[in-house]
Each structure stands twice: as C-alpha cells, then as structure tokens.
Amino acid sequence: MRLHPTPPIPAGEITPEAVYRDRRRLLAALGALPALGLSGCGEAAPPPSRVVVTPEQARSGFRTSEELTREADATSYNNFYEFGTAKDDPATAAKTLRTTPWTVAVGGHCAKPGKVSLEDLLKGLPPQERIYRMRCVEGWSMVIPWLGVPLAVVLKRFQPTSKAKYVAFTSLADPRQMPGVRVPTLDWPYREGLRIDEAMHPLTLLATGLYGKPLPQQNGAPLRLVVPWKYGFKGIKSIVAITFVESMPKTAWNMAQPSEYGFYSNVNPAVDHPRWSQKTERRIAGSASKLFAERIPTLPFNGYAGQVASLYAGMDLKKWF
Ligand code: MTE
C-alpha cells in the first residue's frame, strides 16, 4: 500500500479505470456494494456470533504443508511505513529500531490494566510455532513459520470486562528512530483493531519470532500481531499499547482510505479492492521470484474458513468488508 503516490501494483493487475468505474456504478445500482466511503465504522456493527470454535477445529489451522517462503524474502520484502514506503526500505532503515527495553501499556475496559515489560507480558508462555499463509491486500502472499503466543492467553491476564467489545492496538511512533513517521504518509501512530471474539480466536497470534529466531525489526520486532485470515495490514507491528474498547476503534488504513480498507478486512476473493481484483494472489514461496511468482486463486478467509467463518455467521461480508 502506498498513498503518495498510488500503490505499486503491476500494471497487468489493475482494472482499467473506466471499466472499474462502470462496474462500481452497476454494482452500486444493484445494491451489491456499500456506497463509496462507507467503511463499516459509524454504524453499529453486528454483535459477534455465538458459535464456538472447537479446539480441534482451531488446531487444524496451526500448520500447513504448503511450501515455505524463503526467509530472505520474508525479511526483505516488507511493508513498514514507519521506515519508508518501498518494500526494501524496512530491511535497512529499521536496523536502528531499539527493541529493548520494551513496554506495552494494556488498558481500557479490564480489571487489571498496567504498563508491563515485554518479559512480564509474556512470562511463562513459551513461544509456539505456527505456519500460516499470509495474504497481503496488494495481491501477494507468503507462507511463514511464526513463533508467538496466542493473543487470547495474554489478553485474559488483564481480565477484560463485558464492556470490552473490541481490542485496539497501537504501534510505536518515534520520529527519532523511525524516519517514515516524520512524513504524513499515514496518521501516526499506526493503529489496528479486532473485535473481541477475533482477538480471542486461537489462530490469532502475538508474534515474537519467525523461522525459529526472534523477529527482525523489519517484521515488527519485538511484538506484532498475526491474524492469518485477514489481509496483512491488520498485522500491526512493534506494538506499544493494547486497549479494550467498547466501540469499533479507528484503524490506520481505514482512516486513510475508508472506501478501500474496511475494519474487518477478512480475505475475500468475492470483494474486489476498488482498484484491483482480489480473486488471485502471487505466491512468493520456494524459489519463486518476488515479482513474477505463480498466481493462485485466493480462498475465502485465506483458506481458514473452517476455523473462522462461524465468527461472521449472518453478517453481510460485502457490507462489512
Ligand atoms: N504495522 C506498522 N506499524 N506499520 C506498517 O506500515 N504494514 C502492514 C502490517 N503492519 C504496517 C504494519 C502491512 S500493509 C503488511 S502487508 C504487513 O505489516 C507486512 O508484514 P511483513 O513485513 O512481516 O510481511
């Protein structure tokens, strides 16, 4: 994603503007799409479904046998706008990010708020390995072995109350360490959010490492979110605050372009991004080169429908995109 200038989407992937405008007009006329600008914020969102995901169902999503992305690709082709807007900026510019000591402020609607060190936040929780497919909204995907702890286990330590309907996350925004923050590419700090049931889902990971090693800065050290059924921008990096809130929190990309980036951002091949299709993805894995990797069909919920579709039972996913 890039706001200034427009995202670097390969020319062949972009629907010609006239075709896109006609299609939008037609679909809007048919009532199939929300009016441009409707982000899902502002209107009361449907409550979480009451369907419970069984542990077996959840565990079946913890691994995939698909070919892994090379570590060198996963750590050199990154989005981390605090360090620049080009894919290869973070790998060099983020080297100066200091990740120790690191504290996270947890607050809002919970019985035990507090500002805690990273060590205390994760105390007694050995990192687990999860091999997840990751789908970026820009049309590429990777398969990454993460290390991390289930977000639910960490959140429960702070005892969220019944008013905690959503969880808001905030990244560090330090202009001394992060050159990109000196430029208004986004409304800093980077912010993201999840509905409480999404945050508590066993697939949702607070990642601290990848490929068996601690997270490199460019991938969001020392602590980032990984939500494998959502587009990659939900995976907020270098988290410094977690807040339990009652209403849908503001999120960085939704604030920047509400018609393009909804709050939910579940991977959905049936809902095009206004400027390109989401039906297929370039899978950067094995020896596939970053720009010309094989295109494969994108699956609903990024292939995790069996684990998460029930969270959205009864919701119109074109409206709540
Ligand atoms: N978090 C912060 N703080 N800043 C960012 O610019 N980019 C997001 C997300 N988290 C971003 C962020 C986007 S657009 C993507 S696709 C993923 O990080 C990329 O994660 P990766 O570099 O580990 O692949």
Side-chain angles (χ1 to χ4, degrees), residues 180-191:
V181 170
R182 298 177 212 143
V183 191
T185 35
L186 287 171
D187 185 354
W188 308 111
Y190 195 97
R191 277 160 273 186

Side-chain angles (χ1 to χ4, degrees), residues 147-290:
L147 289 174
V149 300
L151 175 64
V153 178
V154 172
L155 294 184
K156 283 176 190 160
R157 294 182 160 180
F158 297 89
Q159 301 180 10
T161 68
S162 59
K163 279 191 167 171
K165 308 261 192 267
Y166 295 86
V167 186
F169 302 85
T170 313
S171 293
L172 179 72
D174 179 356
R176 285 164 305 172
Q177 297 189 69
M178 301 169 134
V181 170
R182 298 177 212 143
V183 191
T185 35
L186 287 171
D187 185 354
W188 308 111
Y190 195 97
R191 277 160 273 186
E192 255 310 333
L194 294 173
R195 206 170 60 184
I196 191 81
D197 59 330
E198 300 177 319
M200 294 294 185
H201 192 283
L203 282 179
T204 306
L205 204 65
L206 259 185
T208 54
L210 39 67
Y211 299 87
K213 303 171 192 165
L215 276 179
Q217 286 102 325
Q218 62 268 33
N219 291 89
L223 190 71
R224 56 103 36 101
L225 190 64
V226 175
V227 196
W229 71 95
K230 293 182 181 278
Y231 291 115
F233 65 90
K234 298 295 284 183
I236 181 170
K237 297 176 168 180
S238 305
I239 297 168
V240 292
I242 301 178
T243 316
F244 297 102
V245 294
E246 198 166 5
S247 40
M248 194 181 269
K250 287 184 170 179
T251 62
W253 281 102
N254 181 257
M255 284 189 288
Q257 287 289 356
S259 63
E260 302 192 353
Y261 308 105
F263 174 81
Y264 286 92
S265 288
N266 291 318
V267 174
N268 190 346
V271 175
D272 288 347
H273 181 282
R275 288 182 282 135
W276 59 84
S277 161
Q278 293 291 21
K279 289 191 177 56
T280 63
E281 64 203 52
R282 265 185 306 125
R283 172 60 59 85
I284 302 171
S287 58
S289 85
K290 291 177 210 167

Side-chain angles (χ1 to χ4, degrees), residues 58-66 68 128-133 143 145-146 203 304 307:
R59 270 197 294 275
S60 64
F62 288 178
R63 304 193 81 76
T64 166
S65 54
E66 285 152 275
L68 293 186
Q128 306 174 4
E129 190 180 67
R130 301 279 179 82
I131 302 177
Y132 284 160
R133 289 180 290 277
V143 180
W146 296 102
L203 282 179
Y304 297 96
Q307 290 80 31

